Amino acid sequence: MTASNQMASKPGDASRDTPRNQRADTLTDMMTGAPLGIICGSGTIPYAVADALMRRGQPVVLFPLRGWADAVAVKAYPHHWIALGQFGRFCRLAEAQRCRDLVLVGGLIRPSIMQLRLDWGTLMQLPQIIRSFRGGDDHLLSGVGRIFENAGFQVIGAHEVAPEITAPIGALGRLRPNAAFEEDISHGFALLAATSAFDVGQAAVISGHRVLAIEAAEGTDAMLDRITTMREAGRITLAAGVGVLVKAPKRRQDRRFDLPSIGPDTVARAARAGLAGIAVVARATIVAEPQRVVEIADRAGLFVVGRPDPEAPV
Amino acid sequence: MTASNQMASKPGDASRDTPRNQRADTLTDMMTGAPLGIICGSGTIPYAVADALMRRGQPVVLFPLRGWADAVAVKAYPHHWIALGQFGRFCRLAEAQRCRDLVLVGGLIRPSIMQLRLDWGTLMQLPQIIRSFRGGDDHLLSGVGRIFENAGFQVIGAHEVAPEITAPIGALGRLRPNAAFEEDISHGFALLAATSAFDVGQAAVISGHRVLAIEAAEGTDAMLDRITTMREAGRITLAAGVGVLVKAPKRRQDRRFDLPSIGPDTVARAARAGLAGIAVVARATIVAEPQRVVEIADRAGLFVVGRPDPEAPV
């Protein structure tokens, strides 16, 4: 699983996803001038979030996770490296910066408990950490989120502090799905709705009403590569340019912790797999490097569309 | 997908799955001495079915599918090679043998329509064949089954003519699942029940309530190998000897056409993937080479259990 865990801090319009954060008494960091903390996993999205915030004059401080975050990209921002499990060190660093609001964003492969380098702050939380390792990603990430909240931090979704990093409703590039692909998209979203109760399945590939692949722990990239492999092996024999990658957030999940994301590499892999396009849930899917996404999709002849969120308030 | 399509012909106690075959006027082939036809895909199961029938004095005639059936194994039985799509030729051969009852059994990868070598008999059925290529395996296989029935054949499940080839209730080998694995088994069966409405998902791997993999078009073998790969890549970091492979037939499907199956290779792959065991639905899962299944499972320390069928009549 790619735990593209999104959590973020946000002052003003916050929190339809996070009612417990609706505190009238806190127009927090943005008003006080304190930096917003971004705990960075892998990929480019943490820096897109940081840039969006800085464009609005919101200072940030990055906490790149050793082994996951991009050591070059992080240099452009105020930052302190931390290791997974160093919760005590993180708390001291954040306090020194007067940082109370947090976004957790970027790829994060589930670590083995044994691989964590535990300090005293973490050890104090150990029973809760161990509990959060049972069950799927959502369980793990919201467990981690609770640890931050118990320590007095406010955790907010990246999509809330930086809505411009999410997919809009409609086509991102030049192409639009035809009626047959629209059917596959609907079929795929219905499948993901059925599997999301099991804390699994943020993505699937559908072609002509047939489910070619469902994502579990392997992640979207490996699932797309499986389509390529099955085509090459003759296991699936479809014309190129059919089949749709569908991604959706799990139902009723805390979206601060695990929004799906796509990026240029997703489109390139979907093209290699011979798919017709990609459909995501608008405003609930992060698009990394949207301009490159559009360039690659247009060149390869794929559509990329955002569909209205079935869980959005009317 | 492995279209381990099971269909079979059966006279006496036939057909709780196949009410339309409950014809009081036909105590068919077994009484008439006419051979029962077995259309053979890949693997060893077609020959286990043939052996079970012959042990009871029921003559058989095999119709091995060129490109799928085992050319050596088939020599031990009366047989006529056929190619997928040669429906006209098949009808003539079956008629010459007075064969009316059919079992369709063995692995069968979905062919591209273009790869089929079509004859006139097939061409006459073409619109129906094309329709059956939309949707999942169940759709494809029941579509093919209908073509046989429209031509006057009676198609019966392999599990009905040869119940001894299916998993019993309880442990097949020495080991039994502990309470934690029982939880994973229940979680897995619930997941497969949710996905089966989408004509997908006869198998999944669960560990500690987490869904590690769901099978779609890639088949069980490739799904198990994915667990091995994810372990090696550190994408999942679990102790060896945890995780359960769960297989179940799709709900409300016509079981003459697509029962799940396991065999020695399934157990060997599950062992390589570091799993604790395998759970299947008793009487609704074919076990190829059961003695070797038990040997390999016992040696590798895996359990293999059959659970009562939630869809069985009370």
Side-chain angles (χ1 to χ4, degrees):
Chain A
M1 37 99 271
T2 314
S4 300
N5 44 329
Q6 271 55 256
M7 323 187 204
S9 157
K10 159 78 139 331
D13 70 276
S15 304
R16 69 173 154 78
D17 291 328
T18 60
R20 75 193 127 170
N21 290 323
Q22 285 170 343
R23 301 175 307 176
D25 58 324
T26 48
L27 291 176
T28 53
D29 302 347
M30 198 175 282
M31 310 307 288
T32 64
L36 188 146
I38 302 177
I39 298 182
C40 309
S42 63
T44 61
I45 298 168
Y47 317 104
V49 173
D51 292 344
L53 287 163
M54 287 163 69
R55 273 197 297 273
R56 285 186 228 125
Q58 167 65 50
V60 296
V61 56
L62 273 52
F63 296 97
L65 282 167
R66 208 173 288 285
W68 279 273
D70 181 332
V72 175
V74 83
K75 286 186 180 161
Y77 308 87
H79 68 275
H80 301 282
W81 284 93
I82 54 172
L84 257 193
Q86 294 186 328
F87 190 67
R89 171 177 155 78
F90 166 78
C91 287
R92 286 189 298 278
L93 287 166
E95 193 173 353
Q97 304 265 336
R98 294 182 302 125
C99 164
R100 287 188 49 231
D101 289 1
L102 294 179
V103 179
L104 280 73
V105 67
L108 187 67
I109 305 288
R110 173 184 296 245
S112 149
I113 290 179
M114 291 306 139
Q115 286 174 347
L116 299 177
R117 301 191 305 163
L118 300 175
D119 64 10
W120 284 107
T122 307
L123 277 174
M124 298 298 284
Q125 310 264 4
L126 206 54
Q128 190 166 17
I129 291 176
I130 287 169
R131 261 200 309 282
S132 70
F133 270 80
R134 283 182 53 91
D137 292 339
D138 189 29
H139 202 151
L140 170 69
L141 295 167
S142 57
V144 169
R146 258 194 309 278
I147 292 171
F148 284 102
E149 292 187 332
N150 290 347
F153 294 98
Q154 173 158 305
V155 178
I156 308 186
H159 62 302
E160 294 178 295
V161 287
E164 62 265 57
I165 66 168
T166 64
I169 292 176
L172 267 80
R174 191 169 39 82
L175 292 162
R176 276 160 181 68
N178 65 20
F181 298 141
E182 290 286 1
E183 267 187 51
D184 285 340
I185 292 169
S186 300
H187 195 63
F189 280 140
L191 170 66
L192 296 180
T195 57
S196 82
F198 294 87
D199 200 4
V200 69
Q202 291 196 111
V205 177
I206 317 288
S207 175
H209 249 242
R210 180 165 177 236
V211 182
L212 299 180
I214 307 180
E215 176 186 334
E218 75 275 21
T220 304
D221 289 354
M223 182 189 64
L224 288 172
D225 292 350
R226 183 155 86 239
I227 303 289
T228 308
T229 306
M230 285 193 282
R231 272 191 203 267
E232 286 167 1
R235 187 161 188 103
I236 53 179
T237 49
L238 297 169
V242 302
V244 178
L245 167 66
V246 176
K247 291 199 77 160
K250 289 168 205 151
R251 297 274 171 123
R252 291 175 298 280
Q253 83 174 357
D254 191 330
R255 291 188 176 174
R256 297 174 300 163
F257 299 113
D258 193 19
L259 279 193
S261 64
I262 61 168
D265 189 51
T266 319
V267 182
R269 282 174 199 261
R272 207 150 48 220
L275 302 188
I278 299 174
V280 300
V281 177
R283 300 288 167 230
T285 307
I286 293 176
V287 181
E289 303 176 65
Q291 284 179 324
R292 287 198 56 220
V293 163
V294 167
E295 274 167 35
I296 296 173
D298 283 353
R299 202 181 322 132
L302 269 71
F303 63 79
V304 180
V305 289
R307 286 275 162 268
D309 185 350
E311 289 191 286
V314 184
Chain B
M1 40 92 283
T2 314
S4 300
N5 44 328
Q6 271 57 255
M7 323 185 203
S9 158
K10 159 79 139 332
D13 71 276
S15 303
R16 70 172 154 80
D17 292 329
T18 60
R20 75 193 128 172
N21 290 324
Q22 285 170 343
R23 300 175 310 176
D25 58 325
T26 48
L27 291 174
T28 54
D29 301 348
M30 200 175 282
M31 310 306 287
T32 64
L36 186 147
I38 302 178
I39 297 182
C40 309
S42 64
T44 62
I45 298 168
Y47 315 104
V49 173
D51 293 344
L53 287 163
M54 287 163 69
R55 273 197 297 273
R56 282 184 230 126
Q58 167 64 52
V60 295
V61 56
L62 273 52
F63 297 97
L65 282 168
R66 208 172 289 286
W68 279 273
D70 180 333
V72 175
V74 83
K75 285 185 179 163
Y77 309 85
H79 68 275
H80 301 282
W81 284 94
I82 54 172
L84 256 194
Q86 294 187 328
F87 189 68
R89 171 176 154 81
F90 167 78
C91 289
R92 286 189 298 277
L93 287 165
E95 194 173 353
Q97 305 265 334
R98 295 181 304 124
C99 163
R100 287 187 50 231
D101 288 0
L102 295 180
V103 178
L104 281 74
V105 67
L108 188 67
I109 305 287
R110 173 184 294 245
S112 149
I113 291 179
M114 292 306 139
Q115 286 174 345
L116 300 175
R117 301 190 306 163
L118 301 174
D119 63 9
W120 284 107
T122 306
L123 277 174
M124 299 296 286
Q125 308 264 4
L126 205 54
Q128 190 165 17
I129 290 175
I130 288 169
R131 261 199 308 281
S132 69
F133 270 80
R134 282 182 52 92
D137 291 342
D138 188 30
H139 202 151
L140 171 68
L141 296 166
S142 58
V144 169
R146 258 193 310 278
I147 293 171
F148 284 102
E149 292 187 330
N150 289 347
F153 295 98
Q154 172 158 307
V155 178
I156 307 186
H159 63 301
E160 293 177 296
V161 287
E164 61 265 57
I165 66 168
T166 64
I169 291 177
L172 267 80
R174 190 170 38 83
L175 292 163
R176 276 160 182 69
N178 66 19
F181 298 142
E182 290 285 2
E183 267 187 51
D184 284 339
I185 292 169
S186 300
H187 195 64
F189 281 139
L191 170 66
L192 296 179
T195 56
S196 82
F198 294 87
D199 200 4
V200 70
Q202 290 196 110
V205 177
I206 317 288
S207 175
H209 248 243
R210 179 165 178 237
V211 181
L212 299 181
I214 307 181
E215 176 186 333
E218 75 275 21
T220 305
D221 289 353
M223 183 189 63
L224 288 172
D225 293 349
R226 184 156 83 239
I227 302 290
T228 308
T229 306
M230 284 192 283
R231 271 192 204 266
E232 285 167 2
R235 187 161 188 104
I236 52 179
T237 49
L238 296 170
V242 301
V244 179
L245 167 65
V246 176
K247 291 199 76 159
K250 288 167 206 152
R251 296 274 171 123
R252 291 175 300 279
Q253 84 174 358
D254 192 332
R255 292 190 175 173
R256 297 173 301 162
F257 298 115
D258 194 18
L259 279 193
S261 64
I262 61 167
D265 188 50
T266 318
V267 182
R269 282 174 199 262
R272 206 151 47 219
L275 302 189
I278 299 174
V280 301
V281 177
R283 300 288 166 230
T285 307
I286 292 177
V287 182
E289 303 176 66
Q291 283 179 326
R292 287 197 56 221
V293 162
V294 168
E295 274 168 35
I296 296 172
D298 284 352
R299 201 180 322 130
L302 268 71
F303 63 80
V304 181
V305 289
R307 285 276 163 266
D309 185 349
E311 289 192 285
V314 184

